[in-house]
Every structure is written in C-alpha cells, then in structure tokens.
Amino acid sequence: MAFSFSNFWDYLWNAYGHNSGLRLDHILLNPTIAPRLIEVGIDRNVKGWEKSSDHAPVWISLKADF
C-alpha cells in the first residue's frame, strides 16, 4: 500500500482497505514555532487494533528552544 496522508477512513465503505481516506485532522503552527518543526507523522498502525477509531493520531516533533 502506498503512503497516504489520510488519517480518517470511513468504515462503511472499507476505505482503509482501499487506501481511500481523508485528511481531517491537522496541526497548525504559527510563524514563530514553524521553524522548530523536525518531523510529522500519522500513526496508521492503530487501525489494526481491535475496535479502533476511524481516525489515526497525527503527531509532530519540535526542536526544543532553551
């Protein structure tokens, strides 16, 4: 399955099985924080859990600013 930026898959139409999802959840960064962005990801593995949500968590890593 090719990587997808989707983090929501409708159960009714087996969207996850067809890799046909939507990007519903976003993380917005202001101009001060944006340069500290290191990594962005979607934890798609949670879709394999029993009774999992139709959403997958979206996360970011930021460089510490001390």
Short mmCIF file of all heavy atoms in Angstrom, two decimals:
data_model
loop_
_atom_site.label_atom_id
_atom_site.label_comp_id
_atom_site.label_asym_id
_atom_site.label_seq_id
_atom_site.Cartn_x
_atom_site.Cartn_y
_atom_site.Cartn_z
N MET A 1 0.85 -1.17 0.00
CA MET A 1 0.00 0.00 0.00
C MET A 1 0.90 1.24 0.00
O MET A 1 1.80 1.36 0.80
CB MET A 1 -0.90 -0.03 1.24
CG MET A 1 -1.85 1.13 1.32
SD MET A 1 -2.91 1.17 2.81
CE MET A 1 -3.55 -0.46 2.92
N ALA A 2 0.65 2.17 -0.88
CA ALA A 2 1.41 3.41 -0.95
C ALA A 2 1.10 4.29 0.26
O ALA A 2 0.00 4.22 0.81
CB ALA A 2 1.08 4.15 -2.24
N PHE A 3 2.07 5.11 0.65
CA PHE A 3 1.84 6.00 1.78
C PHE A 3 0.76 7.00 1.44
O PHE A 3 0.68 7.52 0.34
CB PHE A 3 3.12 6.74 2.17
CG PHE A 3 2.93 7.62 3.37
CD1 PHE A 3 2.88 7.07 4.64
CD2 PHE A 3 2.75 8.97 3.22
CE1 PHE A 3 2.69 7.87 5.75
CE2 PHE A 3 2.56 9.79 4.33
CZ PHE A 3 2.52 9.22 5.58
N SER A 4 -0.07 7.26 2.40
CA SER A 4 -1.16 8.22 2.25
C SER A 4 -1.10 9.22 3.39
O SER A 4 -0.72 8.89 4.49
CB SER A 4 -2.49 7.47 2.28
OG SER A 4 -3.56 8.36 2.40
N PHE A 5 -1.48 10.44 3.12
CA PHE A 5 -1.54 11.45 4.16
C PHE A 5 -2.90 11.44 4.84
O PHE A 5 -3.23 12.35 5.58
CB PHE A 5 -1.24 12.84 3.58
CG PHE A 5 0.20 12.99 3.19
CD1 PHE A 5 0.57 12.90 1.86
CD2 PHE A 5 1.16 13.20 4.15
CE1 PHE A 5 1.90 13.03 1.51
CE2 PHE A 5 2.49 13.32 3.80
CZ PHE A 5 2.86 13.24 2.47
N SER A 6 -3.69 10.44 4.60
CA SER A 6 -5.02 10.33 5.21
C SER A 6 -4.89 9.95 6.67
O SER A 6 -3.98 9.25 7.07
CB SER A 6 -5.84 9.26 4.50
OG SER A 6 -5.97 9.56 3.14
N ASN A 7 -5.85 10.42 7.48
CA ASN A 7 -5.90 9.99 8.87
C ASN A 7 -7.33 9.68 9.30
O ASN A 7 -7.62 9.54 10.48
CB ASN A 7 -5.26 11.04 9.79
CG ASN A 7 -6.07 12.30 9.89
OD1 ASN A 7 -6.57 12.81 8.90
ND2 ASN A 7 -6.22 12.81 11.09
N PHE A 8 -8.24 9.53 8.34
CA PHE A 8 -9.62 9.13 8.60
C PHE A 8 -10.05 8.22 7.46
O PHE A 8 -9.85 8.54 6.28
CB PHE A 8 -10.54 10.35 8.66
CG PHE A 8 -12.00 9.98 8.65
CD1 PHE A 8 -12.64 9.62 9.81
CD2 PHE A 8 -12.71 9.98 7.46
CE1 PHE A 8 -13.98 9.25 9.79
CE2 PHE A 8 -14.05 9.63 7.43
CZ PHE A 8 -14.68 9.27 8.60
N TRP A 9 -10.66 7.09 7.82
CA TRP A 9 -11.15 6.14 6.83
C TRP A 9 -12.54 5.70 7.24
O TRP A 9 -12.72 5.15 8.33
CB TRP A 9 -10.24 4.92 6.74
CG TRP A 9 -8.86 5.27 6.34
CD1 TRP A 9 -8.35 5.30 5.08
CD2 TRP A 9 -7.76 5.63 7.19
NE1 TRP A 9 -7.04 5.67 5.09
CE2 TRP A 9 -6.64 5.88 6.39
CE3 TRP A 9 -7.63 5.78 8.57
CZ2 TRP A 9 -5.42 6.25 6.90
CZ3 TRP A 9 -6.41 6.17 9.08
CH2 TRP A 9 -5.32 6.39 8.25
N ASP A 10 -13.50 5.89 6.38
CA ASP A 10 -14.89 5.54 6.66
C ASP A 10 -15.02 4.02 6.74
O ASP A 10 -14.61 3.30 5.82
CB ASP A 10 -15.78 6.10 5.55
CG ASP A 10 -17.25 6.00 5.87
OD1 ASP A 10 -17.63 5.24 6.78
OD2 ASP A 10 -18.03 6.70 5.20
N TYR A 11 -15.59 3.52 7.83
CA TYR A 11 -15.79 2.08 7.98
C TYR A 11 -16.85 1.54 7.03
O TYR A 11 -16.79 0.41 6.58
CB TYR A 11 -16.20 1.73 9.42
CG TYR A 11 -15.03 1.65 10.36
CD1 TYR A 11 -14.91 2.53 11.43
CD2 TYR A 11 -14.04 0.71 10.19
CE1 TYR A 11 -13.85 2.46 12.30
CE2 TYR A 11 -12.96 0.63 11.05
CZ TYR A 11 -12.88 1.51 12.10
OH TYR A 11 -11.82 1.43 12.96
N LEU A 12 -17.84 2.35 6.71
CA LEU A 12 -18.97 1.89 5.89
C LEU A 12 -18.52 1.34 4.54
O LEU A 12 -19.05 0.34 4.08
CB LEU A 12 -19.96 3.05 5.69
CG LEU A 12 -21.22 2.73 4.91
CD1 LEU A 12 -22.03 1.65 5.63
CD2 LEU A 12 -22.05 3.98 4.71
N TRP A 13 -17.54 1.97 3.93
CA TRP A 13 -17.10 1.56 2.59
C TRP A 13 -15.73 0.90 2.60
O TRP A 13 -15.08 0.80 1.56
CB TRP A 13 -17.09 2.77 1.66
CG TRP A 13 -18.41 3.43 1.58
CD1 TRP A 13 -18.77 4.61 2.18
CD2 TRP A 13 -19.59 2.93 0.96
NE1 TRP A 13 -20.08 4.88 1.94
CE2 TRP A 13 -20.62 3.87 1.19
CE3 TRP A 13 -19.89 1.79 0.22
CZ2 TRP A 13 -21.91 3.70 0.71
CZ3 TRP A 13 -21.17 1.63 -0.26
CH2 TRP A 13 -22.16 2.56 -0.01
N ASN A 14 -15.26 0.44 3.76
CA ASN A 14 -13.93 -0.18 3.87
C ASN A 14 -12.86 0.70 3.25
O ASN A 14 -12.01 0.24 2.49
CB ASN A 14 -13.92 -1.58 3.24
CG ASN A 14 -12.63 -2.32 3.49
OD1 ASN A 14 -11.94 -2.08 4.49
ND2 ASN A 14 -12.28 -3.22 2.60
N ALA A 15 -12.92 1.98 3.57
CA ALA A 15 -11.99 2.94 2.98
C ALA A 15 -10.54 2.63 3.31
O ALA A 15 -9.65 2.84 2.48
CB ALA A 15 -12.36 4.36 3.43
N TYR A 16 -10.26 2.13 4.50
CA TYR A 16 -8.89 1.81 4.87
C TYR A 16 -8.34 0.69 3.98
O TYR A 16 -7.22 0.75 3.50
CB TYR A 16 -8.80 1.41 6.34
CG TYR A 16 -7.38 1.23 6.82
CD1 TYR A 16 -6.57 2.34 7.06
CD2 TYR A 16 -6.84 -0.03 7.02
CE1 TYR A 16 -5.27 2.20 7.49
CE2 TYR A 16 -5.54 -0.18 7.45
CZ TYR A 16 -4.76 0.93 7.68
OH TYR A 16 -3.46 0.78 8.11
N GLY A 17 -9.16 -0.32 3.74
CA GLY A 17 -8.74 -1.43 2.88
C GLY A 17 -8.45 -1.01 1.45
O GLY A 17 -7.64 -1.62 0.76
N HIS A 18 -9.09 0.06 1.02
CA HIS A 18 -8.89 0.59 -0.33
C HIS A 18 -7.91 1.77 -0.35
O HIS A 18 -7.71 2.38 -1.40
CB HIS A 18 -10.22 1.03 -0.93
CG HIS A 18 -11.18 -0.08 -1.14
ND1 HIS A 18 -12.27 -0.28 -0.31
CD2 HIS A 18 -11.21 -1.07 -2.06
CE1 HIS A 18 -12.94 -1.34 -0.73
NE2 HIS A 18 -12.32 -1.84 -1.78
N ASN A 19 -7.34 2.11 0.80
CA ASN A 19 -6.45 3.26 0.94
C ASN A 19 -7.12 4.52 0.38
O ASN A 19 -6.53 5.29 -0.37
CB ASN A 19 -5.10 3.02 0.26
CG ASN A 19 -4.06 4.04 0.70
OD1 ASN A 19 -4.14 4.59 1.79
ND2 ASN A 19 -3.10 4.30 -0.15
N SER A 20 -8.37 4.70 0.74
CA SER A 20 -9.16 5.82 0.24
C SER A 20 -9.68 6.63 1.42
O SER A 20 -10.86 6.58 1.75
CB SER A 20 -10.32 5.28 -0.60
OG SER A 20 -11.11 6.33 -1.08
N GLY A 21 -8.79 7.36 2.06
CA GLY A 21 -9.17 8.12 3.24
C GLY A 21 -9.17 9.61 3.00
O GLY A 21 -8.99 10.08 1.88
N LEU A 22 -9.38 10.33 4.07
CA LEU A 22 -9.40 11.79 4.05
C LEU A 22 -8.42 12.33 5.08
O LEU A 22 -8.11 11.66 6.06
CB LEU A 22 -10.80 12.31 4.40
CG LEU A 22 -11.94 11.88 3.51
CD1 LEU A 22 -13.26 12.29 4.13
CD2 LEU A 22 -11.79 12.48 2.13
N ARG A 23 -7.97 13.54 4.88
CA ARG A 23 -7.14 14.22 5.87
C ARG A 23 -8.05 15.16 6.64
O ARG A 23 -8.40 16.22 6.15
CB ARG A 23 -6.01 14.98 5.19
CG ARG A 23 -5.09 15.70 6.17
CD ARG A 23 -4.31 14.65 7.00
NE ARG A 23 -3.41 15.26 7.94
CZ ARG A 23 -2.13 15.45 7.74
NH1 ARG A 23 -1.58 15.13 6.59
NH2 ARG A 23 -1.39 15.97 8.69
N LEU A 24 -8.48 14.75 7.83
CA LEU A 24 -9.39 15.56 8.63
C LEU A 24 -8.70 16.32 9.74
O LEU A 24 -9.11 17.42 10.09
CB LEU A 24 -10.49 14.69 9.24
CG LEU A 24 -11.46 14.04 8.28
CD1 LEU A 24 -12.55 13.32 9.06
CD2 LEU A 24 -12.07 15.03 7.32
N ASP A 25 -7.69 15.73 10.34
CA ASP A 25 -7.03 16.34 11.49
C ASP A 25 -5.73 17.01 11.04
O ASP A 25 -4.96 16.43 10.29
CB ASP A 25 -6.73 15.30 12.55
CG ASP A 25 -8.00 14.60 13.01
OD1 ASP A 25 -8.98 15.31 13.28
OD2 ASP A 25 -8.00 13.36 13.11
N HIS A 26 -5.52 18.22 11.48
CA HIS A 26 -4.34 18.99 11.11
C HIS A 26 -3.68 19.55 12.37
O HIS A 26 -4.32 19.71 13.40
CB HIS A 26 -4.72 20.16 10.21
CG HIS A 26 -5.30 19.74 8.90
ND1 HIS A 26 -6.60 19.34 8.77
CD2 HIS A 26 -4.75 19.67 7.68
CE1 HIS A 26 -6.84 19.04 7.51
NE2 HIS A 26 -5.73 19.22 6.83
N ILE A 27 -2.42 19.87 12.26
CA ILE A 27 -1.71 20.59 13.31
C ILE A 27 -1.21 21.89 12.68
O ILE A 27 -0.48 21.86 11.69
CB ILE A 27 -0.53 19.76 13.86
CG1 ILE A 27 -1.04 18.47 14.49
CG2 ILE A 27 0.27 20.59 14.86
CD1 ILE A 27 0.04 17.53 14.94
N LEU A 28 -1.64 22.99 13.23
CA LEU A 28 -1.26 24.29 12.71
C LEU A 28 -0.18 24.91 13.59
O LEU A 28 -0.28 24.90 14.80
CB LEU A 28 -2.48 25.22 12.67
CG LEU A 28 -3.67 24.71 11.85
CD1 LEU A 28 -4.84 25.69 11.96
CD2 LEU A 28 -3.28 24.51 10.41
N LEU A 29 0.84 25.44 12.95
CA LEU A 29 1.93 26.08 13.67
C LEU A 29 2.00 27.55 13.28
O LEU A 29 1.88 27.88 12.11
CB LEU A 29 3.27 25.42 13.33
CG LEU A 29 3.36 23.92 13.59
CD1 LEU A 29 4.70 23.39 13.11
CD2 LEU A 29 3.15 23.61 15.05
N ASN A 30 2.24 28.40 14.26
CA ASN A 30 2.39 29.82 13.94
C ASN A 30 3.80 30.08 13.41
O ASN A 30 4.68 29.22 13.51
CB ASN A 30 2.04 30.70 15.15
CG ASN A 30 3.03 30.56 16.29
OD1 ASN A 30 4.21 30.33 16.08
ND2 ASN A 30 2.53 30.69 17.50
N PRO A 31 4.04 31.24 12.81
CA PRO A 31 5.35 31.52 12.21
C PRO A 31 6.52 31.45 13.19
O PRO A 31 7.65 31.20 12.78
CB PRO A 31 5.19 32.94 11.66
CG PRO A 31 3.73 33.10 11.43
CD PRO A 31 3.07 32.30 12.53
N THR A 32 6.28 31.62 14.47
CA THR A 32 7.36 31.54 15.46
C THR A 32 7.76 30.09 15.72
O THR A 32 8.95 29.78 15.87
CB THR A 32 6.91 32.19 16.78
OG1 THR A 32 6.54 33.54 16.51
CG2 THR A 32 8.01 32.16 17.82
N ILE A 33 6.81 29.20 15.75
CA ILE A 33 7.06 27.78 16.07
C ILE A 33 7.45 26.98 14.82
O ILE A 33 8.21 26.02 14.91
CB ILE A 33 5.82 27.16 16.74
CG1 ILE A 33 5.50 27.87 18.05
CG2 ILE A 33 5.97 25.66 16.96
CD1 ILE A 33 6.54 27.68 19.12
N ALA A 34 6.92 27.33 13.67
CA ALA A 34 7.12 26.53 12.45
C ALA A 34 8.59 26.18 12.15
O ALA A 34 8.87 25.05 11.76
CB ALA A 34 6.49 27.25 11.27
N PRO A 35 9.55 27.08 12.34
CA PRO A 35 10.96 26.72 12.07
C PRO A 35 11.49 25.61 12.98
O PRO A 35 12.52 25.00 12.67
CB PRO A 35 11.73 28.02 12.29
CG PRO A 35 10.73 29.10 12.16
CD PRO A 35 9.44 28.51 12.65
N ARG A 36 10.84 25.35 14.09
CA ARG A 36 11.29 24.31 15.02
C ARG A 36 10.76 22.92 14.65
O ARG A 36 11.12 21.92 15.29
CB ARG A 36 10.84 24.66 16.44
CG ARG A 36 11.53 25.93 16.93
CD ARG A 36 11.05 26.41 18.27
NE ARG A 36 10.81 25.36 19.22
CZ ARG A 36 10.04 25.50 20.30
NH1 ARG A 36 9.47 26.65 20.56
NH2 ARG A 36 9.87 24.50 21.13
N LEU A 37 9.94 22.82 13.61
CA LEU A 37 9.38 21.54 13.19
C LEU A 37 10.48 20.60 12.70
O LEU A 37 11.29 20.95 11.86
CB LEU A 37 8.35 21.75 12.08
CG LEU A 37 7.65 20.50 11.57
CD1 LEU A 37 6.79 19.88 12.66
CD2 LEU A 37 6.81 20.84 10.35
N ILE A 38 10.51 19.39 13.28
CA ILE A 38 11.50 18.38 12.91
C ILE A 38 10.87 17.27 12.10
O ILE A 38 11.41 16.83 11.08
CB ILE A 38 12.16 17.78 14.17
CG1 ILE A 38 12.91 18.85 14.94
CG2 ILE A 38 13.07 16.63 13.81
CD1 ILE A 38 13.41 18.38 16.29
N GLU A 39 9.72 16.79 12.54
CA GLU A 39 9.12 15.60 11.93
C GLU A 39 7.61 15.64 12.09
O GLU A 39 7.09 16.20 13.04
CB GLU A 39 9.69 14.35 12.63
CG GLU A 39 9.35 13.05 11.99
CD GLU A 39 10.03 11.88 12.70
OE1 GLU A 39 10.59 12.06 13.79
OE2 GLU A 39 9.97 10.79 12.14
N VAL A 40 6.92 15.03 11.12
CA VAL A 40 5.45 14.94 11.12
C VAL A 40 5.09 13.49 10.80
O VAL A 40 5.76 12.84 10.01
CB VAL A 40 4.85 15.85 10.02
CG1 VAL A 40 3.35 15.70 9.96
CG2 VAL A 40 5.25 17.29 10.24
N GLY A 41 4.03 12.99 11.42
CA GLY A 41 3.63 11.62 11.11
C GLY A 41 2.18 11.34 11.43
O GLY A 41 1.50 12.13 12.09
N ILE A 42 1.74 10.20 10.94
CA ILE A 42 0.40 9.68 11.22
C ILE A 42 0.58 8.24 11.68
O ILE A 42 1.20 7.44 10.98
CB ILE A 42 -0.50 9.72 9.96
CG1 ILE A 42 -0.63 11.15 9.44
CG2 ILE A 42 -1.86 9.11 10.27
CD1 ILE A 42 -1.29 11.25 8.08
N ASP A 43 0.07 7.91 12.85
CA ASP A 43 0.21 6.54 13.39
C ASP A 43 -0.87 5.65 12.82
O ASP A 43 -1.88 5.36 13.45
CB ASP A 43 0.14 6.56 14.92
CG ASP A 43 1.41 7.07 15.54
OD1 ASP A 43 2.46 7.04 14.86
OD2 ASP A 43 1.37 7.50 16.70
N ARG A 44 -0.65 5.18 11.60
CA ARG A 44 -1.62 4.32 10.91
C ARG A 44 -1.74 2.94 11.56
O ARG A 44 -2.74 2.26 11.40
CB ARG A 44 -1.23 4.16 9.45
CG ARG A 44 -1.29 5.44 8.66
CD ARG A 44 -0.71 5.24 7.26
NE ARG A 44 -1.37 4.18 6.54
CZ ARG A 44 -2.27 4.36 5.60
NH1 ARG A 44 -2.61 5.57 5.24
NH2 ARG A 44 -2.83 3.33 4.99
N ASN A 45 -0.71 2.53 12.32
CA ASN A 45 -0.72 1.19 12.92
C ASN A 45 -1.89 0.99 13.88
O ASN A 45 -2.31 -0.14 14.11
CB ASN A 45 0.60 0.90 13.62
CG ASN A 45 0.86 1.83 14.78
OD1 ASN A 45 0.53 3.01 14.72
ND2 ASN A 45 1.46 1.31 15.83
N VAL A 46 -2.44 2.05 14.45
CA VAL A 46 -3.56 1.89 15.38
C VAL A 46 -4.80 1.36 14.68
O VAL A 46 -5.70 0.84 15.34
CB VAL A 46 -3.89 3.20 16.13
CG1 VAL A 46 -2.69 3.69 16.92
CG2 VAL A 46 -4.38 4.27 15.19
N LYS A 47 -4.86 1.47 13.37
CA LYS A 47 -6.01 0.94 12.63
C LYS A 47 -6.10 -0.57 12.74
O LYS A 47 -7.14 -1.15 12.52
CB LYS A 47 -5.95 1.36 11.16
CG LYS A 47 -6.13 2.84 10.93
CD LYS A 47 -7.48 3.33 11.37
CE LYS A 47 -8.57 2.73 10.52
NZ LYS A 47 -9.90 2.96 11.03
N GLY A 48 -5.01 -1.22 13.09
CA GLY A 48 -5.01 -2.67 13.25
C GLY A 48 -5.49 -3.14 14.61
O GLY A 48 -5.67 -4.33 14.84
N TRP A 49 -5.69 -2.22 15.53
CA TRP A 49 -6.14 -2.58 16.86
C TRP A 49 -7.62 -2.97 16.84
O TRP A 49 -8.40 -2.47 16.03
CB TRP A 49 -5.97 -1.43 17.83
CG TRP A 49 -4.55 -1.00 18.05
CD1 TRP A 49 -3.41 -1.58 17.56
CD2 TRP A 49 -4.13 0.13 18.80
NE1 TRP A 49 -2.31 -0.89 17.97
CE2 TRP A 49 -2.71 0.17 18.73
CE3 TRP A 49 -4.78 1.11 19.52
CZ2 TRP A 49 -1.96 1.13 19.36
CZ3 TRP A 49 -4.03 2.08 20.16
CH2 TRP A 49 -2.64 2.08 20.08
N GLU A 50 -8.00 -3.84 17.75
CA GLU A 50 -9.41 -4.24 17.86
C GLU A 50 -10.25 -3.03 18.26
O GLU A 50 -9.88 -2.26 19.15
CB GLU A 50 -9.54 -5.35 18.91
CG GLU A 50 -10.94 -5.89 19.03
CD GLU A 50 -11.05 -7.02 20.04
OE1 GLU A 50 -10.01 -7.58 20.43
OE2 GLU A 50 -12.18 -7.32 20.44
N LYS A 51 -11.37 -2.85 17.61
CA LYS A 51 -12.31 -1.75 17.86
C LYS A 51 -11.62 -0.38 17.77
O LYS A 51 -11.89 0.52 18.55
CB LYS A 51 -13.00 -1.91 19.21
CG LYS A 51 -13.83 -3.17 19.31
CD LYS A 51 -14.56 -3.24 20.61
CE LYS A 51 -15.39 -4.51 20.68
NZ LYS A 51 -16.13 -4.61 21.92
N SER A 52 -10.75 -0.23 16.79
CA SER A 52 -10.04 1.04 16.65
C SER A 52 -10.95 2.12 16.09
O SER A 52 -11.98 1.85 15.48
CB SER A 52 -8.83 0.86 15.73
OG SER A 52 -9.24 0.51 14.43
N SER A 53 -10.54 3.35 16.30
CA SER A 53 -11.27 4.51 15.81
C SER A 53 -11.15 4.59 14.29
O SER A 53 -10.28 3.97 13.68
CB SER A 53 -10.69 5.77 16.44
OG SER A 53 -11.23 6.93 15.84
N ASP A 54 -12.00 5.40 13.68
CA ASP A 54 -11.88 5.64 12.25
C ASP A 54 -10.84 6.74 11.97
O ASP A 54 -10.52 7.02 10.83
CB ASP A 54 -13.22 5.99 11.61
CG ASP A 54 -13.98 7.08 12.35
OD1 ASP A 54 -13.42 7.66 13.30
OD2 ASP A 54 -15.14 7.33 12.00
N HIS A 55 -10.28 7.34 13.02
CA HIS A 55 -9.21 8.33 12.91
C HIS A 55 -7.90 7.70 13.37
O HIS A 55 -7.89 6.83 14.22
CB HIS A 55 -9.47 9.53 13.82
CG HIS A 55 -10.56 10.43 13.35
ND1 HIS A 55 -10.30 11.64 12.76
CD2 HIS A 55 -11.89 10.29 13.35
CE1 HIS A 55 -11.43 12.21 12.44
NE2 HIS A 55 -12.42 11.42 12.79
N ALA A 56 -6.80 8.17 12.80
CA ALA A 56 -5.47 7.79 13.27
C ALA A 56 -4.79 9.05 13.83
O ALA A 56 -4.97 10.14 13.27
CB ALA A 56 -4.65 7.21 12.13
N PRO A 57 -4.02 8.92 14.90
CA PRO A 57 -3.38 10.10 15.50
C PRO A 57 -2.37 10.76 14.57
O PRO A 57 -1.59 10.09 13.89
CB PRO A 57 -2.66 9.53 16.73
CG PRO A 57 -3.27 8.21 16.98
CD PRO A 57 -3.77 7.71 15.67
N VAL A 58 -2.40 12.07 14.55
CA VAL A 58 -1.43 12.90 13.83
C VAL A 58 -0.49 13.48 14.88
O VAL A 58 -0.93 13.90 15.94
CB VAL A 58 -2.15 14.04 13.08
CG1 VAL A 58 -1.16 14.96 12.39
CG2 VAL A 58 -3.14 13.48 12.08
N TRP A 59 0.82 13.47 14.61
CA TRP A 59 1.76 13.96 15.61
C TRP A 59 2.87 14.76 14.93
O TRP A 59 3.09 14.65 13.72
CB TRP A 59 2.36 12.81 16.41
CG TRP A 59 3.01 11.76 15.58
CD1 TRP A 59 2.44 10.62 15.10
CD2 TRP A 59 4.35 11.77 15.09
NE1 TRP A 59 3.34 9.91 14.34
CE2 TRP A 59 4.53 10.60 14.31
CE3 TRP A 59 5.42 12.63 15.21
CZ2 TRP A 59 5.72 10.29 13.69
CZ3 TRP A 59 6.61 12.33 14.58
CH2 TRP A 59 6.74 11.15 13.83
N ILE A 60 3.58 15.55 15.74
CA ILE A 60 4.75 16.30 15.28
C ILE A 60 5.84 16.23 16.34
O ILE A 60 5.57 15.97 17.50
CB ILE A 60 4.42 17.78 14.99
CG1 ILE A 60 3.98 18.52 16.24
CG2 ILE A 60 3.40 17.90 13.88
CD1 ILE A 60 3.84 20.02 16.07
N SER A 61 7.07 16.46 15.91
CA SER A 61 8.21 16.64 16.82
C SER A 61 8.76 18.04 16.57
O SER A 61 8.92 18.46 15.43
CB SER A 61 9.32 15.63 16.54
OG SER A 61 8.88 14.34 16.85
N LEU A 62 9.05 18.73 17.67
CA LEU A 62 9.60 20.07 17.61
C LEU A 62 10.97 20.11 18.28
O LEU A 62 11.20 19.43 19.27
CB LEU A 62 8.69 21.08 18.31
CG LEU A 62 7.29 21.25 17.75
CD1 LEU A 62 6.44 22.12 18.66
CD2 LEU A 62 7.34 21.82 16.35
N LYS A 63 11.88 20.91 17.74
CA LYS A 63 13.18 21.12 18.36
C LYS A 63 12.98 21.97 19.61
O LYS A 63 12.24 22.95 19.59
CB LYS A 63 14.11 21.84 17.38
CG LYS A 63 15.52 22.03 17.90
CD LYS A 63 16.41 22.59 16.83
CE LYS A 63 16.28 24.11 16.86
NZ LYS A 63 17.18 24.79 15.94
N ALA A 64 13.61 21.56 20.71
CA ALA A 64 13.50 22.30 21.96
C ALA A 64 14.11 23.69 21.80
O ALA A 64 15.11 23.86 21.10
CB ALA A 64 14.18 21.55 23.08
N ASP A 65 13.53 24.65 22.43
CA ASP A 65 14.02 26.03 22.36
C ASP A 65 14.36 26.50 23.78
O ASP A 65 13.50 26.99 24.50
CB ASP A 65 12.97 26.93 21.73
CG ASP A 65 13.45 28.33 21.50
OD1 ASP A 65 14.67 28.54 21.42
OD2 ASP A 65 12.60 29.24 21.41
N PHE A 66 15.62 26.31 24.18
CA PHE A 66 16.02 26.66 25.54
C PHE A 66 16.79 27.94 25.55
O PHE A 66 17.54 28.28 24.76
CB PHE A 66 16.88 25.55 26.16
CG PHE A 66 16.11 24.30 26.35
CD1 PHE A 66 16.26 23.23 25.49
CD2 PHE A 66 15.22 24.18 27.40
CE1 PHE A 66 15.56 22.07 25.67
CE2 PHE A 66 14.52 23.01 27.60
CZ PHE A 66 14.69 21.95 26.72
#
